[in-house]
Structure formats: C-alpha cells, structure tokens
Amino acid sequence: VARATVKAALRGISYDVLLVHQPQLAAIADIWNVHYLSRAAREVRVAPGPGWRSRVNDAQAAGVARLEDRYLSRVPATTRVVFCSDYLQSNFERLYGPCPQGVVIPNPALIPRTSGPTTDVAVDPPVNKAGPVLGFLGGSDPRKGGDRLLEEVAADPALFLLHAGGPGLDDTDPRLAGRSRSLGYLDDVTTLLDAIDVLVVPSRFEPFGLVAVEAAARGVPVVATPTVGAASLLVEAGAGVVWNSGDPLGPIVRRVMAHREAMGAAGRTLAERLAPHRIADRLFAEVEAAYQKRDARR
C-alpha cells in the first residue's frame, strides 16, 4: 500500500532527493535509511503464545518478511543504503547479498550529554539498593530477550530488576519475590535510567538499540548481547560490555560495577559523538551527495 501510494503521489512531481525508510520503497529512492529487517527478526522468533491474537500476529509477521524479501533481493545499485549499525548491514548482506552502496550512520543519542544520573532513586517506593539494580526496557516481546534476563536475575539473589514497557515481563517466579518491579509504560525513559546501576539489553535481534545510547548519555553502563547493533559502539567507547547468553550474568554485572564511574564517563563521551546535530550532519551529507549525483546526470 505504501509503495503504490507514494508512487502515485510522485506523479508529475519534481524532487531533488528521495529519502525513504520503508523497504518497499528502496528500489525507487535515492537513499534508503534502514532501521529494521523483518527477515532477520523472523529468524530469532520464538513460538507464538496461546490464543488467536498471537497466531494472527505471527502469520502477519511471516507475510511481511516474505514481501520484504521480494523487494530487498533486488535493491538497485544506484540506491544509497544507510544502515543504523554494522550489525544490521552484516545481516542485510548475509540475507540479500553485497551492498556496494552501503554506509553506516548510527542512530543519535537523544538525551543531552550534560544530563547525568541523579543520586536518588527516581521511583516510588524506592528500590532497595543492597545489590546491583539492573534495568530493562522492552516489555514481554520475545525478541527483546526479557525472559533471558528474568532467568539470570532469578538465579542470582544479589540482583534486583527494574523493568518497563508494556505488556510487562512475567516476573511471577517465586525466586524473584521482592527483587523485581515493573514501572509499566514510561513517557520518560529517564525515570528508569536514573534508578538503575546497569542497563541490560538482552535482545535476540536489535538493529541498534536506542535505549543503550540513551543510557550511555545518562552515564549508565550497558551490558548488551552481541546481537544488539549498538553493542560494538559501546564496547569500543568503554561504555559497555557484551554478554553472551548462556554465560552467568551476575559476574559480568559485578565487573561492570567495579568500573561504573569510568564507564559512565565514557558513555557520556560516546553520546557527544552521537549527538543529534552530528548524526544529522552525516545524513545531510549523504543527501547532498545524492543531489550532486542527480544534478550531474541532468
């Protein structure tokens, strides 16, 4: 529907550069900005839950992936493809072949670098900070890996989990009694970030993971699985570490806690590199290059 609508809207219209985000429009665009790949997400899916709604959603996701396959297997070489992470680009090339016109421009860190974590817990009632407080944002979407995190926290009595997103995680495991709390849906993610010691991003497939750089901008260290697009940026900057699922999480968190101050400072430096105006400059440079190329053809 989007492809037909946009093509109809462009009839008779003269434009300088066409920049799109939808994969079904990549073939007609000068620049395609890629933030998600349905096929890659489909590969890590878990079995649909009980009830007709879960089965319908699963069938819809399967149909979307098949349609995207048709479009993405024939993206023309003339389209400049802007990926949000090296990880997403590697997935695209694994699925659809080399992308000679590919470039990586990360997503921006949207929380100002000058903002720092507060010293007091920002939730009511306050969290018992006897041990490390882990944060998670993503709700119960299996792709976000919250079930992995719940199991690790349940296995380590020293950890406390503060999580947000809707619908929330099922933390009814008796081992989590008194050590897990849901904040539900948040209008302001800093409510979570200012109340935690470490953010955990345990996703099975995450093209970038905006919350990871939001945490870095807030001075919060990040533990992320290698299937999170922002993980390599965090590790390179010294603002986070990689957690391979299957390894115990507790020892990794305690190592991070020992270097929390330095990792927080590194995260704020990373956020400065990913400031919105810097990322915008890089994207507009791509637009300008596409315009110059089109102008040369004219």
Side-chain angles (χ1 to χ4, degrees):
V1 173
R3 181 181 173 90
T5 301
V6 171
K7 290 189 76 172
L10 290 173
R11 289 190 189 122
I13 300 296
S14 175
Y15 58 85
D16 294 319
V17 176
L18 183 61
L19 183 151
V20 304
H21 298 269
Q22 297 92 336
Q24 63 270 34
L25 301 175
I28 65 172
D30 298 290
I31 303 173
W32 171 38
N33 203 175
V34 194
H35 301 282
Y36 192 78
L37 291 173
S38 295
R39 175 59 59 194
R42 186 77 183 156
E43 289 179 340
V44 298
R45 94 190 215 283
V46 298
W52 66 269
R53 189 180 299 275
S54 294
R55 292 193 294 273
V56 168
N57 289 341
D58 187 65
Q60 182 184 34
V64 168
R66 284 194 295 271
L67 287 170
E68 281 191 13
D69 287 343
R70 290 174 51 195
Y71 291 115
L72 301 189
S73 61
R74 54 176 187 261
V75 175
T78 54
T79 299
R80 183 67 155 167
V81 184
V82 178
F83 298 95
C84 65
S85 67
D86 292 313
Y87 173 67
L88 192 63
Q89 181 174 11
S90 66
N91 270 273
F92 179 89
E93 294 185 338
R94 175 180 60 82
L95 291 167
Y96 304 111
C99 185
Q101 286 292 316
V103 64
V104 173
I105 299 180
N107 288 335
L110 299 178
I111 296 178
R113 188 187 74 84
T114 52
S115 299
T118 59
T119 55
D120 297 322
V121 172
V123 294
D124 185 31
V127 170
N128 177 8
K129 294 179 66 96
V133 178
L134 309 186
F136 170 76
L137 183 67
S140 61
D141 182 351
R143 182 175 63 83
K144 298 291 185 178
D147 55 311
R148 295 168 158 181
L149 181 54
L150 283 174
E151 182 57 36
E152 291 297 321
V153 174
D156 192 327
L159 302 178
F160 188 101
L161 178 61
L162 193 64
H163 54 100
L169 295 175
D170 180 7
D171 56 2
T172 56
D173 187 326
R175 295 176 297 168
L176 292 166
R179 294 195 295 115
S180 174
R181 185 188 306 169
S182 172
L183 299 180
Y185 177 81
L186 295 178
D187 290 319
D188 183 359
V189 71
T190 59
T191 303
L192 173 73
L193 297 179
D194 287 352
I196 62 176
D197 297 307
V198 178
L199 178 77
V200 183
V201 188
S203 302
R204 292 177 168 89
F205 171 71
E206 194 70 62
F208 186 77
L210 189 58
V211 70
V213 292
E214 289 175 335
R218 208 72 178 169
V220 178
V222 180
V223 175
T225 51
T227 47
V228 173
S232 59
L233 287 173
L234 294 161
V235 172
E236 176 188 321
V241 299
V242 167
W243 167 44
N244 293 297
S245 60
D247 294 341
L249 179 60
I252 296 174
V253 168
R254 282 181 271 278
R255 286 199 297 272
V256 168
M257 291 291 291
H259 303 282
R260 187 176 188 277
E261 186 174 342
M263 294 181 75
R268 288 188 284 269
T269 300
L270 173 63
E272 178 64 28
R273 284 172 43 203
L274 301 179
H277 70 279
R278 297 183 190 276
I279 301 302
D281 285 346
R282 294 180 62 181
L283 184 57
F284 279 118
E286 293 295 333
V287 172
E288 178 66 20
Y291 174 75
Q292 296 294 341
K293 186 181 296 185
R294 180 182 290 275
D295 193 49
R297 287 198 299 268
R298 283 201 295 263

